[in-house]
C-alpha cells in the first residue's frame, strides 16, 4: 500500500527535527565541505531552533561550523552543548584542527 499524504508529510517533517549524521546532516556536511573548498575563510553557521538543540550543536561543531544562533531561551543549553562538544572532541583536537 503506498504511503498516504499524511504519513509522507510526517516523515518529511521528522527528518528535520534533529540534524543527524544521516539524512539532512549529510547534505549540510557536504555543503560545508564544498563551501570551504571554494572559500576556506567562509563563515558558516546555523540559525533557528536547530541552533539550540544540543545534538545539532554537537553536529555543527564536529563538521566545523563557526557558530550556531538560536532563540534567547535556548542560549544557555546551546552554550552548554557547545562546551560539551569541545571537551569531548576526540584526541584532544584544537579548534584549528576540527574537520570540515
Amino acid at each position: 500500500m503506498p504511503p498516504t499524504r499524511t504519513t509522507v508529510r510526517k516523515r518529511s517533517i521528522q527528518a528535520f527535527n534533529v540534524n543527524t549524521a544521516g539524512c539532512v546532516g549529510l547534505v549540510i556536511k557536504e555543503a560545508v565541505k564544498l563551501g570551504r573548498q571554494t572559500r576556506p575563510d567562509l563563515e558558516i553557521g546555523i540559525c533557528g531552533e536547530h541552533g539550540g538543540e544540543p545534538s545539532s550543536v554537537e553536529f555543527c561543531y564536529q563538521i566545523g561550523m563557526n557558530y550556531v544562533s538560536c532563540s534567547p531561551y535556548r542560549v544557555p543549553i546551546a552554550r552548554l552543548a557547545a562546551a560539551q562538544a569541545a571537551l569531548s572532541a576526540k584526541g584532544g583536537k584544537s579548534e584549528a584542527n576540527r574537520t570540515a
Side-chain angles (χ1 to χ4, degrees):
M1 176 190 223
T4 65
R5 182 180 197 133
T6 305
T7 58
V8 170
R9 190 165 192 222
K10 283 181 184 176
R11 287 183 192 141
S12 65
I13 290 171
Q14 289 172 355
F16 290 92
N17 280 346
V18 176
N19 292 324
T20 62
C23 306
V24 176
L26 290 175
V27 175
I28 294 171
K29 186 175 182 177
E30 187 67 14
V32 170
K33 181 179 125 186
L34 293 174
R36 291 267 165 73
Q37 285 175 355
T38 303
R39 188 172 153 203
D41 63 337
L42 182 66
E43 291 282 324
I44 302 174
I46 192 169
C47 66
E49 293 307 303
H50 290 297
E53 168 62 39
S55 61
S56 294
V57 173
E58 181 179 10
F59 173 76
C60 292
Y61 180 85
Q62 289 172 353
I63 66 169
M65 284 191 185
N66 301 97
Y67 66 90
V68 296
S69 173
C70 60
S71 59
Y73 79 94
R74 285 184 172 256
V75 169
I77 197 74
R79 291 183 73 177
L80 177 61
Q84 289 174 333
L87 290 173
S88 68
K90 290 183 180 178
K93 291 181 182 176
S94 70
E95 285 289 311
N97 292 332
R98 288 188 297 162
T99 60

